[in-house]
Amino acid sequence: MTASPWLERRHQQTARSGDLRSPFHRDKARILHSAAFRRLQAKTQVLGVGVSDFHRTRLTHSLEAAQIGHGIGELLKRKYPELTQTLALSDDLIEALCLAHDIGHPPFGHGGETALHHKMRAYGGFEGNGQTFRIVSKLEPYSPDAGMNLCRRTLLGLVKYPALLSQLENSGPVPKRLSEASPPKGLFEDDADVFDWLLTPFSDADRARFTQTQPDDVHRRTRYKSFDCSIMELADDIAYSIHDLEDAIVMGIVLKQDFEQAVIGPIEHIGDKSLNAFLPDLSEQLFSPNHYDRKNAIGALVNAFITHTEITLTDEAFESPLLRHNAALPHAYAEALGAFKHFVFEQVICAQPVRVAEYRGQQLVMALFDALTDEPEKLLPANTRQRWIKAHKEGQNPHRVIADYISGMTDEYASSLYRSLYLPPSGRHTLI
């Protein structure tokens, strides 16, 4: 028997002889050694894989997020020793969550995600975080049918949006333009059984509150996340906002005057003394021709956000401390991080060359989906074909199997498959 329901796995396993690792250390190892994690090395973060040998991929981003998450955890244990002991905060757990948080994202970044959701909208939809949950709980072959068979608490920490897409999706007409087809953020109806198992330790009241949704711009959105998940999400935001900015500066995508206007100005307006202490030399260091100046500035920014992290109350009505508490930045630092995020989004993600590459990737993903759904028994590889046949015979969702296959592809594998399906061979002879 395990000491806590949060250490339970769907398939109970006995540790190998001599294995003295904690359950969360074992979970981290399963993530690190998984095929889904390795594929992140060839998946787009912001700039396309192969654009240069400097910028981040999904893999390096995840490694940096794990390091930041570890730092946040250590900081919180020093700031709140009694509370973090009550919460049983684990460095291995936080690192595992940060390493795994992006493994469900399809090729070609968020553009690929939108394209796959557009094609899957009538079959349960698609969303990268939902696919992460599906990979770790069902697909990755560490067990017959429980995926990596992670601890319940590890699974809980990976659920950024605790509701099913069917509860979140706008029921209006199908958007005609891809730019209007972004998915809601949640889990798939196909994985509702695992979600039900995951929430079993919570009281009925906590479960109902935790899964509440509220209106958003297009779809509905969830309101809460667990304590561990909040640390992972904050680490992800810091890594994305600061490190992707570094990539953009080195590659000459952003200009110093634009940065000063869009980031320095708004942060000065916040009026926080500790924040303002950074600002006089920040632009000069970030855009300095000396690499060590820029690295020093990046390190100082990351450290500032880590060291100002706090533990806050989400809702006193929660009975479980895992839901009652979240890690968060104080208002001034949250606003400052938001300025960095907005700048990266506007100047990098929305840049015309990036948008062109995103659109090309979307067309490719949709073309693959059309081909594979048209002739699944001819075009799917053997193991995926068997899963598709089984789902079809058992009245499950065979389209989900195709989405699983496409979302697991790296950028280059998807491009290669597209070429083999749609383009004539480039040489005189075709190998069969």
Side-chain angles (χ1 to χ4, degrees):
M1 295 291 290
T2 53
S4 164
W6 294 110
L7 298 183
E8 291 178 354
R9 305 176 189 274
R10 288 176 67 209
H11 289 176
Q12 292 307 308
Q13 296 174 318
T14 303
R16 296 184 180 93
S17 176
D19 188 350
L20 302 179
R21 296 173 300 171
S22 71
F24 298 135
H25 196 163
R26 292 169 65 196
D27 284 355
K28 182 172 71 171
R30 293 180 184 191
I31 292 163
L32 271 169
H33 292 284
S34 68
F37 182 73
R38 289 195 300 275
R39 291 188 188 106
L40 295 178
Q41 67 186 307
K43 289 195 177 187
T44 293
Q45 168 64 7
V46 173
L47 301 168
V49 173
V51 171
S52 86
D53 60 359
F54 176 85
H55 69 272
R56 273 87 177 168
T57 64
R58 289 272 178 191
L59 180 68
T60 55
H61 162 74
S62 298
L63 292 170
E64 289 173 334
Q67 184 270 329
I68 293 171
H70 182 107
I72 292 172
E74 287 298 308
L75 181 280
L76 294 179
K77 283 189 283 188
R78 290 187 176 91
K79 271 188 177 181
Y80 309 91
E82 293 184 4
L83 180 53
T84 51
Q85 187 171 5
T86 299
L87 291 164
L89 176 58
S90 162
D91 293 340
D92 283 327
L93 171 59
I94 299 304
E95 288 182 16
L97 299 180
C98 293
L99 291 170
H101 79 281
D102 267 354
I103 62 175
H105 281 274
F108 309 109
H110 288 290
E113 178 186 46
T114 297
L116 201 46
H117 176 67
H118 184 66
K119 288 295 184 180
M120 281 291 294
R121 197 168 190 259
Y123 311 106
F126 181 87
E127 196 269 332
N129 297 284
Q131 188 68 16
T132 293
F133 184 76
R134 182 167 173 80
I135 288 171
V136 299
S137 65
K138 286 189 175 179
L139 299 182
E140 194 70 23
Y142 278 76
S143 64
D145 58 3
M148 296 185 194
N149 200 27
L150 304 177
C151 293
R152 183 185 261 117
R153 181 161 172 177
T154 307
L155 281 180
L156 179 68
L158 287 171
V159 178
K160 292 174 68 173
Y161 309 104
L164 302 178
L165 292 190
S166 57
Q167 300 169 312
L168 301 165
E169 179 82 64
N170 180 357
S171 59
V174 177
K176 295 181 179 180
R177 299 176 61 188
L178 272 179
S179 58
E180 301 169 350
S182 295
K185 295 185 178 298
L187 306 177
F188 307 143
E189 194 78 43
D190 298 304
D191 303 318
D193 57 331
V194 186
F195 190 43
D196 288 340
W197 173 84
L198 172 63
L199 300 184
T200 300
F202 291 133
S203 68
D204 290 344
D206 271 7
R207 180 171 176 161
R209 185 173 297 277
F210 183 52
T211 56
Q212 283 180 357
T213 66
Q214 60 189 23
D216 203 1
D217 292 340
V218 178
H219 307 290
R220 297 187 67 82
R221 64 180 177 89
T222 57
R223 298 180 60 191
Y224 301 106
K225 55 183 60 66
S226 70
F227 172 68
D228 304 315
C229 184
S230 70
I231 297 177
M232 175 266 282
E233 186 170 52
L234 180 56
D236 180 28
D237 282 349
I238 294 171
Y240 157 76
S241 303
I242 307 304
H243 290 140
D244 288 355
L245 171 63
E246 180 185 14
D247 284 357
I249 291 173
V250 171
M251 298 180 70
I253 296 174
V254 298
L255 300 176
K256 181 180 176 182
Q257 58 266 34
D258 293 332
F259 174 78
E260 291 177 343
Q261 181 178 355
V263 179
I264 299 295
I267 293 178
E268 284 179 333
H269 187 70
I270 294 170
D272 183 90
K273 291 182 179 179
S274 62
L275 272 173
N276 287 344
F278 278 101
L279 300 183
D281 300 321
L282 182 59
S283 291
E284 294 300 325
Q285 289 184 332
L286 284 175
F287 290 86
S288 169
N290 299 318
H291 293 298
Y292 54 81
D293 285 334
R294 184 175 60 254
K295 296 304 294 187
N296 182 60
I298 293 293
L301 283 169
V302 171
N303 179 71
F305 288 117
I306 289 175
T307 55
H308 283 83
T309 304
E310 302 172 340
I311 295 180
T312 61
L313 281 175
T314 58
D315 192 326
E316 292 185 357
F318 279 121
E319 300 169 35
S320 171
L322 288 177
L323 303 183
R324 195 183 310 128
H325 299 94
N326 271 186
L329 291 170
H331 177 74
Y333 277 81
E335 289 286 310
L337 187 61
F340 280 98
K341 285 180 66 176
H342 183 72
F343 181 72
V344 170
F345 179 79
E346 290 293 330
Q347 296 293 320
V348 182
I349 295 176
C350 291
Q352 192 263 352
V354 175
R355 289 297 200 193
V356 169
E358 177 185 75
Y359 182 79
R360 182 172 61 246
Q362 288 176 322
Q363 301 306 308
L364 191 152
V365 165
M366 292 192 296
L368 289 180
F369 188 91
D370 289 342
L372 295 171
T373 52
D374 185 47
E375 292 286 358
E377 295 192 53
K378 288 183 180 180
L379 301 179
L380 292 173
N383 60 336
T384 307
R385 182 168 63 248
Q386 290 306 312
R387 288 184 56 228
W388 184 90
I389 291 172
K390 181 180 178 182
H392 194 268
K393 286 183 176 178
E394 295 180 358
Q396 298 173 2
N397 185 359
H399 289 84
R400 180 64 61 198
V401 176
I402 294 174
D404 291 339
Y405 178 48
I406 294 175
S407 67
M409 295 177 183
T410 64
D411 294 15
E412 178 52 37
Y413 184 88
S415 299
S416 177
L417 181 58
Y418 175 88
R419 288 193 296 268
S420 68
L421 290 173
Y422 288 99
L423 300 180
S426 57
R428 292 183 180 180
H429 303 289
T430 302
L431 295 179
I432 299 177

mmCIF file of all heavy atoms in Angstrom, residues 289-320:
data_model
loop_
_atom_site.group_PDB
_atom_site.id
_atom_site.type_symbol
_atom_site.label_atom_id
_atom_site.label_comp_id
_atom_site.label_asym_id
_atom_site.label_seq_id
_atom_site.Cartn_x
_atom_site.Cartn_y
_atom_site.Cartn_z
ATOM 1 N N PRO A 289 27.175 44.190 -27.929
ATOM 2 C CA PRO A 289 27.919 43.271 -28.816
ATOM 3 C C PRO A 289 28.704 42.225 -28.033
ATOM 4 O O PRO A 289 29.156 41.236 -28.609
ATOM 5 C CB PRO A 289 28.855 44.216 -29.589
ATOM 6 C CG PRO A 289 29.024 45.398 -28.697
ATOM 7 C CD PRO A 289 27.719 45.561 -27.990
ATOM 8 N N ASN A 290 28.863 42.442 -26.735
ATOM 9 C CA ASN A 290 29.572 41.488 -25.889
ATOM 10 C C ASN A 290 28.577 40.447 -25.365
ATOM 11 O O ASN A 290 27.641 40.799 -24.638
ATOM 12 C CB ASN A 290 30.243 42.190 -24.707
ATOM 13 C CG ASN A 290 31.264 43.214 -25.157
ATOM 14 O OD1 ASN A 290 32.040 42.961 -26.089
ATOM 15 N ND2 ASN A 290 31.266 44.387 -24.532
ATOM 16 N N HIS A 291 28.779 39.202 -25.719
ATOM 17 C CA HIS A 291 27.833 38.164 -25.339
ATOM 18 C C HIS A 291 27.698 38.044 -23.821
ATOM 19 O O HIS A 291 26.611 37.751 -23.311
ATOM 20 C CB HIS A 291 28.250 36.816 -25.932
ATOM 21 C CG HIS A 291 28.156 36.765 -27.429
ATOM 22 N ND1 HIS A 291 26.965 36.933 -28.096
ATOM 23 C CD2 HIS A 291 29.097 36.574 -28.387
ATOM 24 C CE1 HIS A 291 27.169 36.847 -29.409
ATOM 25 N NE2 HIS A 291 28.467 36.640 -29.611
ATOM 26 N N TYR A 292 28.778 38.252 -23.085
ATOM 27 C CA TYR A 292 28.702 38.080 -21.638
ATOM 28 C C TYR A 292 27.816 39.138 -20.987
ATOM 29 O O TYR A 292 27.195 38.890 -19.953
ATOM 30 C CB TYR A 292 30.103 38.075 -21.009
ATOM 31 C CG TYR A 292 30.967 39.277 -21.343
ATOM 32 C CD1 TYR A 292 30.821 40.483 -20.671
ATOM 33 C CD2 TYR A 292 31.937 39.176 -22.328
ATOM 34 C CE1 TYR A 292 31.604 41.580 -20.980
ATOM 35 C CE2 TYR A 292 32.738 40.278 -22.647
ATOM 36 C CZ TYR A 292 32.565 41.473 -21.967
ATOM 37 O OH TYR A 292 33.351 42.561 -22.277
ATOM 38 N N ASP A 293 27.742 40.338 -21.585
ATOM 39 C CA ASP A 293 26.823 41.357 -21.059
ATOM 40 C C ASP A 293 25.371 40.886 -21.187
ATOM 41 O O ASP A 293 24.571 41.032 -20.256
ATOM 42 C CB ASP A 293 26.995 42.675 -21.819
ATOM 43 C CG ASP A 293 28.259 43.415 -21.439
ATOM 44 O OD1 ASP A 293 28.748 43.220 -20.309
ATOM 45 O OD2 ASP A 293 28.767 44.183 -22.276
ATOM 46 N N ARG A 294 25.046 40.351 -22.360
ATOM 47 C CA ARG A 294 23.681 39.869 -22.570
ATOM 48 C C ARG A 294 23.352 38.694 -21.643
ATOM 49 O O ARG A 294 22.271 38.628 -21.072
ATOM 50 C CB ARG A 294 23.485 39.469 -24.033
ATOM 51 C CG ARG A 294 22.044 39.049 -24.344
ATOM 52 C CD ARG A 294 21.848 38.771 -25.824
ATOM 53 N NE ARG A 294 22.726 37.700 -26.291
ATOM 54 C CZ ARG A 294 23.810 37.876 -27.035
ATOM 55 N NH1 ARG A 294 24.159 39.097 -27.413
ATOM 56 N NH2 ARG A 294 24.553 36.854 -27.406
ATOM 57 N N LYS A 295 24.286 37.739 -21.503
ATOM 58 C CA LYS A 295 24.042 36.600 -20.627
ATOM 59 C C LYS A 295 23.867 37.055 -19.187
ATOM 60 O O LYS A 295 23.037 36.498 -18.450
ATOM 61 C CB LYS A 295 25.197 35.598 -20.723
ATOM 62 C CG LYS A 295 25.379 34.934 -22.082
ATOM 63 C CD LYS A 295 24.111 34.236 -22.561
ATOM 64 C CE LYS A 295 23.707 33.054 -21.717
ATOM 65 N NZ LYS A 295 22.564 32.312 -22.311
ATOM 66 N N ASN A 296 24.617 38.054 -18.770
ATOM 67 C CA ASN A 296 24.480 38.573 -17.417
ATOM 68 C C ASN A 296 23.100 39.186 -17.203
ATOM 69 O O ASN A 296 22.461 38.991 -16.164
ATOM 70 C CB ASN A 296 25.569 39.616 -17.141
ATOM 71 C CG ASN A 296 25.492 40.155 -15.722
ATOM 72 O OD1 ASN A 296 25.611 39.415 -14.752
ATOM 73 N ND2 ASN A 296 25.296 41.459 -15.592
ATOM 74 N N ALA A 297 22.636 39.925 -18.210
ATOM 75 C CA ALA A 297 21.310 40.546 -18.109
ATOM 76 C C ALA A 297 20.207 39.488 -18.092
ATOM 77 O O ALA A 297 19.251 39.585 -17.299
ATOM 78 C CB ALA A 297 21.095 41.506 -19.277
ATOM 79 N N ILE A 298 20.321 38.465 -18.940
ATOM 80 C CA ILE A 298 19.327 37.392 -18.972
ATOM 81 C C ILE A 298 19.287 36.674 -17.626
ATOM 82 O O ILE A 298 18.218 36.418 -17.062
ATOM 83 C CB ILE A 298 19.646 36.394 -20.112
ATOM 84 C CG1 ILE A 298 19.463 37.059 -21.482
ATOM 85 C CG2 ILE A 298 18.785 35.137 -19.995
ATOM 86 C CD1 ILE A 298 18.041 37.425 -21.824
ATOM 87 N N GLY A 299 20.470 36.355 -17.087
ATOM 88 C CA GLY A 299 20.533 35.677 -15.793
ATOM 89 C C GLY A 299 19.939 36.515 -14.675
ATOM 90 O O GLY A 299 19.233 35.992 -13.802
ATOM 91 N N ALA A 300 20.194 37.815 -14.701
ATOM 92 C CA ALA A 300 19.653 38.696 -13.663
ATOM 93 C C ALA A 300 18.132 38.780 -13.742
ATOM 94 O O ALA A 300 17.436 38.798 -12.713
ATOM 95 C CB ALA A 300 20.267 40.092 -13.794
ATOM 96 N N LEU A 301 17.593 38.831 -14.961
ATOM 97 C CA LEU A 301 16.141 38.873 -15.122
ATOM 98 C C LEU A 301 15.491 37.598 -14.602
ATOM 99 O O LEU A 301 14.508 37.647 -13.846
ATOM 100 C CB LEU A 301 15.789 39.078 -16.603
ATOM 101 C CG LEU A 301 15.946 40.485 -17.160
ATOM 102 C CD1 LEU A 301 15.820 40.463 -18.684
ATOM 103 C CD2 LEU A 301 14.913 41.421 -16.552
ATOM 104 N N VAL A 302 16.033 36.454 -15.014
ATOM 105 C CA VAL A 302 15.464 35.179 -14.554
ATOM 106 C C VAL A 302 15.529 35.094 -13.035
ATOM 107 O O VAL A 302 14.560 34.700 -12.372
ATOM 108 C CB VAL A 302 16.218 33.999 -15.208
ATOM 109 C CG1 VAL A 302 15.795 32.673 -14.575
ATOM 110 C CG2 VAL A 302 15.956 33.965 -16.709
ATOM 111 N N ASN A 303 16.659 35.483 -12.460
ATOM 112 C CA ASN A 303 16.812 35.445 -11.005
ATOM 113 C C ASN A 303 15.799 36.353 -10.311
ATOM 114 O O ASN A 303 15.239 35.996 -9.263
ATOM 115 C CB ASN A 303 18.227 35.865 -10.629
ATOM 116 C CG ASN A 303 18.445 35.860 -9.130
ATOM 117 O OD1 ASN A 303 18.504 34.815 -8.498
ATOM 118 N ND2 ASN A 303 18.571 37.048 -8.548
ATOM 119 N N ALA A 304 15.557 37.520 -10.885
ATOM 120 C CA ALA A 304 14.612 38.463 -10.275
ATOM 121 C C ALA A 304 13.207 37.864 -10.210
ATOM 122 O O ALA A 304 12.516 37.990 -9.184
ATOM 123 C CB ALA A 304 14.600 39.771 -11.055
ATOM 124 N N PHE A 305 12.783 37.229 -11.294
ATOM 125 C CA PHE A 305 11.443 36.636 -11.282
ATOM 126 C C PHE A 305 11.378 35.440 -10.336
ATOM 127 O O PHE A 305 10.373 35.263 -9.624
ATOM 128 C CB PHE A 305 11.041 36.240 -12.702
ATOM 129 C CG PHE A 305 10.733 37.407 -13.590
ATOM 130 C CD1 PHE A 305 11.485 37.667 -14.726
ATOM 131 C CD2 PHE A 305 9.693 38.268 -13.284
ATOM 132 C CE1 PHE A 305 11.207 38.753 -15.538
ATOM 133 C CE2 PHE A 305 9.396 39.367 -14.080
ATOM 134 C CZ PHE A 305 10.164 39.612 -15.211
ATOM 135 N N ILE A 306 12.416 34.622 -10.310
ATOM 136 C CA ILE A 306 12.413 33.469 -9.400
ATOM 137 C C ILE A 306 12.343 33.933 -7.946
ATOM 138 O O ILE A 306 11.521 33.438 -7.162
ATOM 139 C CB ILE A 306 13.666 32.601 -9.626
ATOM 140 C CG1 ILE A 306 13.580 31.865 -10.962
ATOM 141 C CG2 ILE A 306 13.836 31.583 -8.487
ATOM 142 C CD1 ILE A 306 14.839 31.072 -11.311
ATOM 143 N N THR A 307 13.197 34.871 -7.562
ATOM 144 C CA THR A 307 13.322 35.240 -6.153
ATOM 145 C C THR A 307 12.136 36.043 -5.637
ATOM 146 O O THR A 307 11.995 36.195 -4.417
ATOM 147 C CB THR A 307 14.622 36.033 -5.922
ATOM 148 O OG1 THR A 307 14.665 37.163 -6.808
ATOM 149 C CG2 THR A 307 15.834 35.153 -6.172
ATOM 150 N N HIS A 308 11.289 36.547 -6.514
ATOM 151 C CA HIS A 308 10.107 37.280 -6.061
ATOM 152 C C HIS A 308 8.838 36.419 -6.088
ATOM 153 O O HIS A 308 7.736 36.922 -5.826
ATOM 154 C CB HIS A 308 9.903 38.545 -6.898
ATOM 155 C CG HIS A 308 10.840 39.653 -6.521
ATOM 156 N ND1 HIS A 308 12.125 39.735 -7.008
ATOM 157 C CD2 HIS A 308 10.690 40.693 -5.659
ATOM 158 C CE1 HIS A 308 12.724 40.798 -6.493
ATOM 159 N NE2 HIS A 308 11.884 41.399 -5.685
ATOM 160 N N THR A 309 8.970 35.137 -6.389
ATOM 161 C CA THR A 309 7.805 34.255 -6.408
ATOM 162 C C THR A 309 7.252 34.070 -4.997
ATOM 163 O O THR A 309 8.003 33.959 -4.023
ATOM 164 C CB THR A 309 8.180 32.882 -6.999
ATOM 165 O OG1 THR A 309 8.735 33.076 -8.304
ATOM 166 C CG2 THR A 309 6.967 31.998 -7.110
ATOM 167 N N GLU A 310 5.953 34.035 -4.898
ATOM 168 C CA GLU A 310 5.254 33.877 -3.616
ATOM 169 C C GLU A 310 4.286 32.698 -3.689
ATOM 170 O O GLU A 310 3.971 32.205 -4.781
ATOM 171 C CB GLU A 310 4.460 35.157 -3.288
ATOM 172 C CG GLU A 310 5.291 36.418 -3.218
ATOM 173 C CD GLU A 310 4.430 37.665 -3.078
ATOM 174 O OE1 GLU A 310 3.218 37.603 -3.407
ATOM 175 O OE2 GLU A 310 4.974 38.689 -2.647
ATOM 176 N N ILE A 311 3.816 32.263 -2.543
ATOM 177 C CA ILE A 311 2.707 31.313 -2.473
ATOM 178 C C ILE A 311 1.458 32.098 -2.093
ATOM 179 O O ILE A 311 1.437 32.807 -1.085
ATOM 180 C CB ILE A 311 2.966 30.184 -1.463
ATOM 181 C CG1 ILE A 311 4.143 29.324 -1.917
ATOM 182 C CG2 ILE A 311 1.721 29.304 -1.310
ATOM 183 C CD1 ILE A 311 4.479 28.177 -0.972
ATOM 184 N N THR A 312 0.428 31.991 -2.905
ATOM 185 C CA THR A 312 -0.816 32.732 -2.676
ATOM 186 C C THR A 312 -1.983 31.769 -2.496
ATOM 187 O O THR A 312 -1.894 30.588 -2.831
ATOM 188 C CB THR A 312 -1.111 33.658 -3.869
ATOM 189 O OG1 THR A 312 -1.272 32.851 -5.052
ATOM 190 C CG2 THR A 312 0.039 34.638 -4.099
ATOM 191 N N LEU A 313 -3.074 32.292 -1.967
ATOM 192 C CA LEU A 313 -4.311 31.521 -1.837
ATOM 193 C C LEU A 313 -5.122 31.659 -3.118
ATOM 194 O O LEU A 313 -5.316 32.770 -3.619
ATOM 195 C CB LEU A 313 -5.140 32.012 -0.656
ATOM 196 C CG LEU A 313 -4.721 31.567 0.742
ATOM 197 C CD1 LEU A 313 -5.585 32.265 1.786
ATOM 198 C CD2 LEU A 313 -4.850 30.057 0.895
ATOM 199 N N THR A 314 -5.582 30.533 -3.668
ATOM 200 C CA THR A 314 -6.438 30.589 -4.847
ATOM 201 C C THR A 314 -7.890 30.803 -4.444
ATOM 202 O O THR A 314 -8.573 31.687 -4.955
ATOM 203 C CB THR A 314 -6.337 29.289 -5.649
ATOM 204 O OG1 THR A 314 -6.692 28.179 -4.814
ATOM 205 C CG2 THR A 314 -4.921 29.087 -6.158
ATOM 206 N N ASP A 315 -8.362 29.994 -3.511
ATOM 207 C CA ASP A 315 -9.746 30.058 -3.051
ATOM 208 C C ASP A 315 -9.805 29.332 -1.715
ATOM 209 O O ASP A 315 -9.524 28.133 -1.636
ATOM 210 C CB ASP A 315 -10.673 29.395 -4.064
ATOM 211 C CG ASP A 315 -12.144 29.682 -3.787
ATOM 212 O OD1 ASP A 315 -12.504 29.799 -2.605
ATOM 213 O OD2 ASP A 315 -12.919 29.791 -4.753
ATOM 214 N N GLU A 316 -10.159 30.032 -0.662
ATOM 215 C CA GLU A 316 -10.199 29.430 0.669
ATOM 216 C C GLU A 316 -11.248 28.337 0.784
ATOM 217 O O GLU A 316 -11.223 27.548 1.737
ATOM 218 C CB GLU A 316 -10.448 30.507 1.724
ATOM 219 C CG GLU A 316 -9.277 31.478 1.887
ATOM 220 C CD GLU A 316 -9.498 32.466 3.013
ATOM 221 O OE1 GLU A 316 -10.598 32.419 3.627
ATOM 222 O OE2 GLU A 316 -8.586 33.267 3.292
ATOM 223 N N ALA A 317 -12.168 28.268 -0.173
ATOM 224 C CA ALA A 317 -13.198 27.235 -0.126
ATOM 225 C C ALA A 317 -12.635 25.847 -0.414
ATOM 226 O O ALA A 317 -13.262 24.834 -0.092
ATOM 227 C CB ALA A 317 -14.318 27.562 -1.112
ATOM 228 N N PHE A 318 -11.455 25.767 -1.044
ATOM 229 C CA PHE A 318 -10.855 24.459 -1.313
ATOM 230 C C PHE A 318 -10.447 23.786 -0.003
ATOM 231 O O PHE A 318 -9.852 24.417 0.882
ATOM 232 C CB PHE A 318 -9.623 24.601 -2.214
ATOM 233 C CG PHE A 318 -9.931 24.732 -3.675
ATOM 234 C CD1 PHE A 318 -9.510 25.851 -4.382
ATOM 235 C CD2 PHE A 318 -10.616 23.734 -4.352
ATOM 236 C CE1 PHE A 318 -9.777 25.980 -5.738
ATOM 237 C CE2 PHE A 318 -10.888 23.854 -5.711
ATOM 238 C CZ PHE A 318 -10.482 24.980 -6.400
ATOM 239 N N GLU A 319 -10.734 22.511 0.096
ATOM 240 C CA GLU A 319 -10.298 21.720 1.242
ATOM 241 C C GLU A 319 -8.867 21.234 1.073
ATOM 242 O O GLU A 319 -8.097 21.179 2.027
ATOM 243 C CB GLU A 319 -11.232 20.513 1.433
ATOM 244 C CG GLU A 319 -12.683 20.884 1.678
ATOM 245 C CD GLU A 319 -13.603 19.667 1.589
ATOM 246 O OE1 GLU A 319 -13.167 18.566 1.987
ATOM 247 O OE2 GLU A 319 -14.748 19.829 1.115
ATOM 248 N N SER A 320 -8.473 20.857 -0.127
ATOM 249 C CA SER A 320 -7.140 20.320 -0.373
ATOM 250 C C SER A 320 -6.114 21.441 -0.464
ATOM 251 O O SER A 320 -6.298 22.392 -1.225
ATOM 252 C CB SER A 320 -7.117 19.507 -1.670
ATOM 253 O OG SER A 320 -5.789 19.170 -2.019
#
